[in-house]
Amino acid sequence: MEQTLSIIKPDAVAKNVVGKILDRFESAGLRIAATKKIKLSREDAEAFYAVHAQRPFFKDLVDFMISGPVVVTVLEGKDAMAKNRDLMGATNPKEAAPGTIRADFAESIDANAVHGSDSLENAANEISFFFSQREIC
Ligand code: CMP
């Protein structure tokens, strides 16, 4: 049994498709172990994406992630990390396979609807960034 972190980004929250995206996870057999809607501070977003701090898109990424609320979720299940990434599709929605979350709900590589942990080590770090153990059921 694995756990991974999902973020439904400000573009998808603004489009009011949170429920539709959470349904994709549940319909694929993943369980929601924790979820909450929050507004990231600039410091939160910079810390969460610190690995990208030197990339040219960093400032735009941080600006976008604080432009509105996000929904952070701990997904649990067999192969949860890889399964979530399959459900999301490619980072750039223009390259995302039909039927994936990004193909169906995202507009651009910045406003790409969802984030998902890309390794089990990052998943553990990203989950503890947002949730205390008592919030995860
Ligand atoms: P995410 O999975 O949240 O991880 C970092 C984010 O940076 C990524 O999704 C994209 O939304 C954003 N981004 C913007 N430009 C790029 C790029 N050229 N390569 C990768 N990620 C990018």
Side-chain angles (χ1 to χ4, degrees):
M1 203 56 93
E2 280 179 17
Q3 289 183 337
T4 192
L5 184 89
S6 160
I7 305 178
I8 302 178
K9 297 189 180 185
D11 58 319
V13 174
K15 278 187 195 165
N16 213 21
V17 292
V18 170
K20 286 183 179 162
I21 292 175
L22 293 179
D23 180 58
R24 300 276 176 114
F25 302 142
E26 291 188 326
S27 296
L30 295 174
R31 208 176 62 77
I32 294 169
T35 192
K36 59 189 173 189
K37 186 178 194 176
I38 56 172
K39 178 89 167 62
L40 299 180
S41 66
R42 181 168 294 278
E43 293 68 32
D44 289 334
E46 287 177 351
F48 183 80
Y49 280 118
V51 66
H52 295 306
Q54 303 308 320
R55 308 285 291 273
F57 57 82
F58 182 66
K59 182 169 183 308
D60 287 346
L61 173 62
V62 169
D63 286 344
F64 174 66
M65 291 301 288
I66 65 174
S67 66
V70 299
V71 174
V72 288
T73 300
V74 178
L75 297 171
E76 185 175 85
K78 189 170 181 304
D79 301 323
M81 192 274 293
K83 198 176 268 186
N84 179 40
R85 292 185 68 78
D86 286 347
L87 292 169
M88 290 194 302
T91 304
N92 186 344
K94 292 179 179 61
E95 294 163 9
T100 59
I101 293 169
R102 284 169 170 155
D104 290 347
F105 299 115
E107 306 302 331
S108 67
I109 196 164
D110 295 307
N112 66 349
V114 280
H115 164 84
S117 310
D118 63 1
S119 70
L120 286 180
E121 187 187 354
N122 285 344
N125 292 334
E126 292 181 358
I127 289 168
S128 62
F129 185 90
F130 286 112
F131 293 96
S132 63
Q133 266 312 314
R134 65 199 285 209
E135 292 178 295
I136 302 171
C137 307

